[in-house]
Amino acid sequence: MPRPHLRRLEAEAVHIMLEVAARFERPVLLFSGGKDSVVMVHLTRKAFALGENVRVFPLSNWTERDVWLYIRAERIAVLSLYLAHARNVVDRRGALLAVSPWLTLLPGAAPERRTVRFRTVGDATCTGATASTAATLDAVIAEVGAARKTERGGRAADRRSEATMEDRKRAGYF
């Protein structure tokens, strides 16, 4: 059974979804395949069946740790990218980018094999990995609880500020 604060967060998120559905003609749930998205789909199943279209983010009051605790409590499957594995990465201005067919190596860049995981999932050309040995859900929860940087700190696009997502919320992006 999830912790009481997760039940409160779940109820709040479901309430937001239902309110949005009641107020807007065609709300939509955006899905990236990341951990926030899989939680959103799970909550949507609990709230109702979606056919509407609007941009909302009912998890805005959730911490990264809350998301992971909820995933564990509800036994939600997530991408293995969130767990530590040995991967070839290249350090690009402090962001550990996974070597892939979509990443163009800059002159002088040398890939290295590191044990990393992704704290967020996005475009492979700009989403950085985190050096980590957290290969289980419990280890990820412990690591996130001790982290000094938010998950957004690994995104090359958010290098200008760790509060970029918060800035987007204030500006009405969600």
Side-chain angles (χ1 to χ4, degrees):
M1 182 59 103
R3 296 174 182 204
H5 89 280
L6 293 179
R7 283 290 174 220
R8 181 183 51 76
L9 289 171
E10 176 187 66
E12 177 185 55
V14 166
H15 174 77
I16 290 169
M17 289 177 167
L18 293 172
E19 284 293 313
V20 167
R23 292 182 186 200
F24 295 93
E25 187 177 323
R26 297 177 57 197
V28 66
L29 177 68
L30 302 178
F31 184 80
S32 69
K35 66 183 183 309
D36 291 359
S37 289
V38 297
V39 167
M40 294 277 291
V41 168
H42 188 81
L43 290 169
T44 301
R45 286 185 189 136
K46 286 187 168 196
F48 52 87
L50 243 46
E52 300 290 325
N53 186 352
V54 71
R55 177 176 264 162
V56 297
F57 189 58
L59 302 183
S60 62
N61 290 335
W62 295 42
T63 66
E64 183 181 7
R65 187 168 184 270
D66 292 332
V67 171
W68 282 115
L69 288 169
Y70 189 82
I71 287 168
R72 181 177 65 190
E74 293 289 320
R75 297 186 171 133
I76 302 171
V78 295
L79 300 171
S80 64
L81 288 171
Y82 288 115
L83 303 177
H85 293 84
R87 293 185 171 90
N88 292 326
V89 296
V90 64
D91 188 326
R92 186 169 291 168
R93 294 183 291 281
L96 297 176
L97 302 180
V99 175
S100 73
W102 304 279
L103 182 70
T104 303
L105 293 179
L106 299 177
E112 58 182 297
R113 192 103 174 131
R114 304 260 311 259
T115 302
V116 298
R117 70 177 197 83
F118 290 86
R119 290 179 67 190
T120 185
V121 177
D123 183 335
T125 64
C126 67
T127 301
T130 299
S132 172
T133 58
T136 67
L137 195 53
D138 287 335
V140 169
I141 291 169
E143 181 181 272
V144 167
R148 295 283 183 231
K149 277 187 147 182
T150 69
E151 69 176 288
R152 311 287 184 230
R155 291 181 178 171
D158 290 344
R159 283 285 183 227
R160 53 185 180 231
S161 167
E162 283 192 32
T164 300
M165 190 61 74
E166 296 303 318
D167 294 340
R168 288 179 184 158
K169 287 182 212 171
R170 279 191 294 279
Y173 181 77
F174 296 110

